[in-house]
Amino acid sequence: MSKFESNVKQVPHPQQSVYRMLSDLSHIEQVRDRLPEDKFQNLSFDRDSVSISMDPIGQITLNIVDRQEPKCVKFESAQSPIPFTLWVQMLPVTDATSKLKCTIDAELNPFIRGMVSKPLQEALEKMADALAMIPYE
């Protein structure tokens, strides 16, 4: 397994608000018009899954497989060039702010790892940046 972690991102919203939205993806509809279009392309979702197109990786579909209120939502890839698991971890900073980090665990052989490590890390950072910008309340 190969593990990739984003930098920790500051979120100007409480941990519970971040968890509430990310643990029930149907809430994305409330903020869809405010999402940065350069980060989320071809976005579709329901309560337990989300599908997005991300450069340079392409179309990815993720299903929620575990919820640990209010600190973590775990996803598994259903459609992806590489099978992986994604964790979005949230921690409180104050009553009004929190921080988040994204972690990917992927099954990569050494040859593939050399080719995809940089693009995968970049995509993970873009995802974490985009999640930090969502207006959760």
Side-chain angles (χ1 to χ4, degrees):
M1 294 299 256
S2 300
K3 189 179 229 179
F4 301 88
E5 295 181 340
S6 73
N7 291 316
V8 174
K9 308 298 178 180
Q10 298 300 315
V11 182
H13 301 282
Q15 176 189 26
Q16 189 63 43
S17 296
V18 177
Y19 176 82
R20 185 176 56 249
M21 178 155 310
L22 297 181
S23 66
D24 181 348
L25 299 172
S26 62
H27 290 130
I28 293 173
E29 189 62 44
Q30 300 166 14
V31 296
R32 182 182 213 143
D33 61 331
R34 293 183 271 172
L35 295 175
E37 290 183 26
D38 62 323
K39 306 253 190 255
F40 292 99
Q41 301 155 3
N42 302 321
L43 177 67
S44 63
F45 52 87
D46 60 27
R47 182 181 191 285
D48 296 316
S49 67
V50 61
S51 183
I52 56 174
S53 182
M54 294 179 68
D55 292 329
I57 294 177
Q59 191 72 21
I60 297 174
T61 301
L62 300 171
N63 295 324
I64 294 176
V65 294
D66 190 24
R67 294 172 173 93
Q68 297 172 14
E69 187 171 358
K71 60 183 179 175
C72 183
V73 179
K74 182 179 177 183
F75 300 84
E76 283 186 358
S77 61
Q79 175 186 341
S80 170
I82 300 164
F84 67 93
T85 304
L86 165 72
W87 289 267
V88 180
Q89 298 166 294
M90 301 138 270
L91 291 172
V93 175
T94 68
D95 287 345
T97 64
S98 57
K99 57 187 175 180
L100 67 80
K101 179 174 85 168
C102 298
T103 304
I104 287 180
D105 204 1
E107 294 185 35
L108 304 174
N109 67 45
F111 177 73
I112 296 294
R113 181 178 169 87
M115 293 189 322
V116 302
S117 287
K118 185 177 178 183
L120 191 56
Q121 184 67 46
E122 290 172 359
L124 185 62
E125 287 296 334
K126 282 183 182 181
M127 178 183 296
D129 286 340
L131 290 175
M133 291 189 288
I134 291 174
Y136 289 98
E137 296 186 271

Coordinates of all heavy atoms in Angstrom, one line a residue, residues 96-133:
A96 N -15.6 27.8 16.3 CA -16.0 28.3 15.0 C -15.1 27.9 13.9 O -15.4 28.1 12.7 CB -16.1 29.8 15.0
T97 N -14.0 27.2 14.2 CA -13.1 26.8 13.1 C -12.6 25.4 13.3 O -12.7 24.8 14.4 CB -11.8 27.8 13.0 OG1 -11.1 27.6 14.3 CG2 -12.2 29.2 12.8
S98 N -12.1 24.8 12.2 CA -11.6 23.5 12.3 C -10.4 23.3 11.3 O -10.1 24.3 10.6 CB -12.7 22.5 12.0 OG -13.3 22.7 10.8
K99 N -9.9 22.2 11.2 CA -8.9 21.9 10.2 C -9.2 20.5 9.6 O -9.8 19.7 10.3 CB -7.5 22.0 10.8 CG -7.2 21.1 12.0 CD -5.8 21.3 12.6 CE -5.6 20.5 13.8 NZ -4.3 20.8 14.4
L100 N -8.7 20.3 8.4 CA -8.9 19.0 7.8 C -7.7 18.5 7.1 O -6.8 19.3 6.7 CB -10.2 19.0 6.9 CG -10.2 19.8 5.6 CD1 -9.5 19.1 4.5 CD2 -11.6 20.0 5.2
K101 N -7.6 17.2 6.9 CA -6.5 16.6 6.1 C -7.1 15.4 5.4 O -8.0 14.7 5.8 CB -5.5 16.1 7.1 CG -4.3 15.4 6.4 CD -3.2 15.0 7.4 CE -3.5 13.7 8.0 NZ -2.3 13.2 8.8
C102 N -6.6 15.2 4.2 CA -7.1 14.1 3.3 C -5.9 13.1 3.2 O -4.7 13.5 3.0 CB -7.4 14.6 1.9 SG -8.8 15.8 1.9
T103 N -6.2 11.9 3.3 CA -5.2 10.8 3.2 C -5.7 9.8 2.2 O -6.9 9.4 2.2 CB -5.0 10.1 4.5 OG1 -4.7 11.1 5.5 CG2 -3.9 9.0 4.4
I104 N -4.9 9.4 1.3 CA -5.2 8.3 0.3 C -4.3 7.1 0.6 O -3.1 7.3 0.7 CB -5.0 8.8 -1.2 CG1 -6.1 9.7 -1.5 CG2 -4.9 7.6 -2.1 CD1 -6.0 10.3 -2.9
D105 N -4.9 5.9 0.5 CA -4.1 4.7 0.6 C -4.4 3.9 -0.6 O -5.6 3.6 -0.9 CB -4.6 3.9 1.9 CG -3.5 3.0 2.4 OD1 -2.4 2.9 1.8 OD2 -3.8 2.3 3.4
A106 N -3.4 3.7 -1.5 CA -3.7 3.1 -2.8 C -2.7 1.8 -3.0 O -1.6 1.8 -2.4 CB -3.4 4.1 -3.9
E107 N -3.2 0.9 -3.7 CA -2.4 -0.3 -4.0 C -1.7 0.0 -5.3 O -2.2 -0.1 -6.4 CB -3.3 -1.5 -4.2 CG -4.0 -1.9 -2.9 CD -4.8 -3.2 -3.0 OE1 -4.3 -4.1 -3.8 OE2 -5.8 -3.3 -2.4
L108 N -0.4 0.3 -5.1 CA 0.4 0.6 -6.3 C 1.7 -0.3 -6.3 O 2.4 -0.4 -5.3 CB 0.9 2.1 -6.2 CG -0.2 3.2 -6.1 CD1 0.4 4.5 -5.9 CD2 -1.1 3.2 -7.3
N109 N 2.0 -0.9 -7.5 CA 3.2 -1.5 -7.6 C 4.3 -0.5 -7.8 O 4.0 0.7 -8.1 CB 3.2 -2.6 -8.7 CG 3.1 -2.0 -10.1 OD1 3.8 -1.0 -10.4 ND2 2.2 -2.6 -10.9
P110 N 5.6 -0.8 -7.5 CA 6.7 0.2 -7.6 C 6.8 0.9 -8.9 O 7.0 2.1 -8.9 CB 7.9 -0.7 -7.3 CG 7.5 -1.8 -6.5 CD 6.1 -2.1 -7.1
F111 N 6.5 0.2 -10.0 CA 6.6 0.9 -11.3 C 5.5 1.9 -11.5 O 5.7 3.1 -11.8 CB 6.4 -0.2 -12.4 CG 6.4 0.4 -13.8 CD1 7.6 0.9 -14.4 CD2 5.3 0.5 -14.6 CE1 7.6 1.5 -15.6 CE2 5.2 1.0 -15.8 CZ 6.4 1.5 -16.4
I112 N 4.2 1.6 -11.1 CA 3.1 2.5 -11.2 C 3.3 3.6 -10.2 O 3.0 4.8 -10.5 CB 1.8 1.8 -11.0 CG1 1.5 0.7 -12.1 CG2 0.6 2.7 -10.9 CD1 1.3 1.3 -13.4
R113 N 3.8 3.3 -9.0 CA 4.0 4.4 -8.0 C 4.9 5.5 -8.5 O 4.6 6.6 -8.3 CB 4.6 3.7 -6.7 CG 4.8 4.8 -5.6 CD 5.3 4.2 -4.4 NE 5.8 5.2 -3.4 CZ 5.0 5.8 -2.5 NH1 3.7 5.4 -2.4 NH2 5.5 6.7 -1.7
G114 N 5.9 5.1 -9.2 CA 6.8 6.1 -9.8 C 6.2 7.0 -10.8 O 6.5 8.2 -10.9
M115 N 5.2 6.5 -11.5 CA 4.5 7.3 -12.5 C 3.4 8.1 -11.9 O 3.1 9.2 -12.5 CB 3.9 6.4 -13.6 CG 5.0 5.7 -14.4 SD 4.3 4.8 -15.9 CE 2.8 4.1 -15.4
V116 N 2.7 7.7 -10.9 CA 1.5 8.4 -10.5 C 1.7 9.1 -9.1 O 0.8 9.8 -8.7 CB 0.3 7.4 -10.4 CG1 0.0 6.7 -11.7 CG2 0.5 6.4 -9.3
S117 N 2.8 9.0 -8.5 CA 2.9 9.6 -7.1 C 2.7 11.1 -7.2 O 2.0 11.7 -6.4 CB 4.3 9.3 -6.5 OG 4.4 8.0 -6.1
K118 N 3.4 11.8 -8.1 CA 3.3 13.2 -8.2 C 1.9 13.7 -8.6 O 1.3 14.5 -7.9 CB 4.4 13.8 -9.1 CG 4.4 15.3 -9.2 CD 5.5 15.8 -10.0 CE 5.4 17.4 -10.0 NZ 6.4 17.9 -10.9
P119 N 1.3 13.1 -9.7 CA -0.1 13.6 -10.0 C -1.1 13.2 -8.9 O -2.0 14.0 -8.7 CB -0.4 12.8 -11.3 CG 0.9 12.3 -11.8 CD 1.9 12.3 -10.7
L120 N -0.9 12.1 -8.2 CA -1.8 11.7 -7.2 C -1.7 12.7 -6.0 O -2.7 13.1 -5.4 CB -1.6 10.3 -6.7 CG -2.6 9.7 -5.8 CD1 -4.0 9.7 -6.4 CD2 -2.2 8.2 -5.6
Q121 N -0.5 13.1 -5.6 CA -0.3 14.0 -4.5 C -0.9 15.4 -4.9 O -1.5 16.0 -4.1 CB 1.2 14.1 -4.2 CG 1.5 15.0 -3.0 CD 1.0 14.4 -1.7 OE1 1.2 13.3 -1.4 NE2 0.3 15.3 -0.9
E122 N -0.7 15.8 -6.1 CA -1.2 17.1 -6.6 C -2.7 17.1 -6.5 O -3.4 18.0 -6.1 CB -0.7 17.4 -8.0 CG 0.8 17.8 -8.0 CD 1.3 17.9 -9.4 OE1 0.6 17.7 -10.4 OE2 2.5 18.2 -9.6
A123 N -3.3 16.0 -7.0 CA -4.8 15.9 -7.0 C -5.3 15.9 -5.5 O -6.4 16.5 -5.3 CB -5.2 14.6 -7.7
L124 N -4.6 15.2 -4.6 CA -5.0 15.2 -3.2 C -5.0 16.6 -2.6 O -5.9 17.0 -1.9 CB -4.1 14.2 -2.5 CG -4.5 14.0 -1.0 CD1 -5.9 13.3 -0.9 CD2 -3.4 13.1 -0.4
E125 N -3.9 17.3 -2.9 CA -3.8 18.7 -2.5 C -4.9 19.6 -3.0 O -5.5 20.4 -2.3 CB -2.5 19.3 -2.8 CG -1.3 18.8 -2.0 CD -1.4 19.1 -0.5 OE1 -2.0 20.1 -0.1 OE2 -0.8 18.3 0.3
K126 N -5.3 19.4 -4.3 CA -6.4 20.2 -4.9 C -7.7 19.9 -4.2 O -8.5 20.7 -4.0 CB -6.5 19.9 -6.4 CG -5.5 20.5 -7.3 CD -5.8 20.2 -8.7 CE -4.8 20.8 -9.7 NZ -5.1 20.5 -11.1
M127 N -7.9 18.6 -3.9 CA -9.1 18.2 -3.3 C -9.2 18.8 -1.9 O -10.2 19.3 -1.5 CB -9.2 16.6 -3.2 CG -10.4 16.1 -2.4 SD -10.4 14.3 -2.3 CE -10.5 13.8 -4.0
A128 N -8.1 18.7 -1.1 CA -8.1 19.3 0.2 C -8.3 20.8 0.2 O -9.1 21.4 1.0 CB -6.8 19.0 0.9
D129 N -7.7 21.5 -0.8 CA -7.9 22.9 -0.9 C -9.4 23.2 -1.2 O -9.9 24.1 -0.6 CB -7.0 23.5 -2.1 CG -5.6 23.6 -1.8 OD1 -5.2 23.6 -0.6 OD2 -4.8 23.6 -2.7
A130 N -9.9 22.5 -2.1 CA -11.3 22.7 -2.5 C -12.3 22.4 -1.3 O -13.2 23.2 -1.0 CB -11.7 21.8 -3.7
L131 N -12.0 21.4 -0.5 CA -12.8 21.1 0.7 C -12.7 22.2 1.7 O -13.6 22.4 2.4 CB -12.4 19.7 1.3 CG -12.8 18.5 0.4 CD1 -12.2 17.2 1.1 CD2 -14.3 18.4 0.2
A132 N -11.5 22.8 1.8 CA -11.3 23.8 2.8 C -12.1 25.1 2.4 O -12.4 25.9 3.2 CB -9.8 24.1 2.9
M133 N -12.4 25.3 1.1 CA -13.1 26.5 0.6 C -14.6 26.4 0.6 O -15.3 27.4 0.4 CB -12.6 26.8 -0.8 CG -11.2 27.3 -0.9 SD -10.7 27.9 -2.5 CE -10.7 26.4 -3.5

